[in-house]
Amino acid sequence: MTKKELAYEGKAKKVFRTEDENRFIVSYKDDATAFNGAKKGTIRGKGVVNNRVTNHLMRLLESKGIPTHFVEQLSDTDTLVKKVSIIPLEVVVRNIAAGSLVSRLGLAEGAKLAVPVLEYSYKNDALNDPLVNDYHIAALRLATPEELKIIAGYALRINDILSAYLKDAHITLIDFKLEFGKLPDGAVVLADEISPDTCRFWDDRSGEKLDKDRFRGDLGGAEDAYGEVLKRLLG
Ligand code: TMP
């Protein structure tokens, strides 16, 4: 399968058509943005790390019964995926307070949450991805109640699978963001990426941040942190 026209370019990835109308090629970039594109930069080697880590975790999730859009890794930065229509929700699962939850609810960063918290945001850059609940999602027809039930079930199961898996690599899964899509037959599958761009990963001994917060907060060492995640997960 080869790249044909560019179908879409996002902040961190390009998506190309292929000779098969039901397959797309995702190409991961080193470009980094934060705060809805207000902050821009580059994390050298990020594209390779995010592509390889995403595919590794998608394969793991498939093996545990979570359907995904993943088909085949084509190169260090490029992956063949199934065509889906993306459901316009950012689905966030949180285990430990960090990021926007800290400021929104006045929690201390690092506070353990009594149960995992599931949140949805409406994917809309012009509105800055506002938080929405089940009622907004139904009212705006972003997903049907049946689809949302499937999404919530998958998201919490993914949290269990990834938290346990990452623990063996001495990584605490603080929180993460997922996106889901629909195949032409309507089946809901996990899409997009699962990477240090879209998860918070903390070293479980030192508490060191091994994710995009190093870039968001100008902590330095982003390249090394991404490289460390790749090494711990793929050897
Ligand atoms: P938040 O604390 O900023 O709401 O982020 C929660 C999780 O979602 C965190 O792991 C980072 C991830 N995330 C994205 O992947 N994309 C985004 O645009 C945002 C705001 C967060």
Side-chain angles (χ1 to χ4, degrees):
M1 213 70 80
T2 51
K3 285 182 200 167
K4 303 288 180 194
E5 325 81 83
L6 181 70
Y8 171 79
E9 179 158 9
K11 295 177 193 124
K13 300 189 281 298
K14 291 181 182 175
V15 181
F16 294 90
R17 294 184 196 287
T18 68
E19 47 273 68
D20 180 343
E21 65 167 347
N22 289 311
R23 295 285 181 268
F24 282 74
I25 292 173
V26 177
S27 186
Y28 287 76
K29 306 189 282 186
D30 286 352
D31 300 353
T33 67
F35 315 118
N36 197 13
K39 179 182 170 96
K40 291 190 171 68
T42 302
I43 300 173
R44 232 171 325 110
K46 176 169 88 75
V48 172
V49 172
N50 287 1
N51 182 48
R52 296 187 60 200
V53 167
T54 293
N55 294 339
H56 184 68
L57 297 178
M58 292 259 182
R59 285 191 200 99
L60 170 74
L61 293 169
E62 285 272 2
S63 79
K64 307 272 186 189
I66 305 285
T68 79
H69 73 161
F70 175 75
V71 178
E72 184 191 0
Q73 183 166 301
L74 301 175
S75 75
D76 259 2
T77 54
D78 290 7
T79 292
L80 188 67
V81 299
K82 294 176 186 169
K83 175 185 178 163
V84 298
S85 60
I86 288 285
I87 295 169
L89 292 175
E90 300 211 334
V91 179
V92 169
V93 182
R94 302 179 185 273
N95 298 304
I96 292 184
S100 66
L101 192 71
V102 163
S103 40
R104 191 167 358 114
L105 298 184
L107 300 171
E109 184 185 61
K112 170 120 179 71
L113 300 165
V115 297
V117 170
L118 184 59
E119 288 174 0
Y120 308 109
S121 293
Y122 174 27
K123 256 174 83 73
N124 183 318
D125 281 343
L127 297 175
N128 223 338
D129 298 344
L131 270 181
V132 288
N133 66 25
D134 304 43
Y135 291 86
H136 300 113
I137 292 168
L140 276 66
R141 295 205 175 90
L142 303 179
T144 67
E146 294 73 27
E147 287 164 356
L148 195 59
K149 202 167 152 196
I150 292 169
I151 287 169
Y154 285 161
L156 294 172
R157 251 180 64 67
I158 290 168
N159 185 44
D160 289 343
I161 295 165
L162 294 184
S163 293
Y165 180 74
L166 291 163
K167 195 161 186 267
D168 290 339
H170 289 291
I171 292 170
T172 304
L173 182 59
I174 304 300
D175 58 30
F176 58 98
K177 186 264 299 181
L178 303 172
E179 296 186 24
F180 292 88
K182 281 194 287 179
L183 296 176
D185 69 1
V188 173
V189 301
L190 179 66
D192 196 48
E193 65 181 284
I194 309 176
S195 72
D197 268 19
T198 62
C199 301
R200 287 194 173 93
F201 294 143
W202 293 1
D203 181 276
D204 72 3
R205 297 158 291 196
S206 65
E208 191 190 353
K209 293 178 175 165
L210 300 173
D211 57 59
K212 195 174 158 189
D213 271 351
R214 301 208 74 83
F215 169 79
R216 293 190 189 99
D218 292 319
L219 304 178
E223 280 89 358
D224 287 348
Y226 279 67
E228 179 65 21
V229 171
L230 181 68
K231 192 174 88 186
R232 288 199 200 178
L233 300 189
L234 285 111

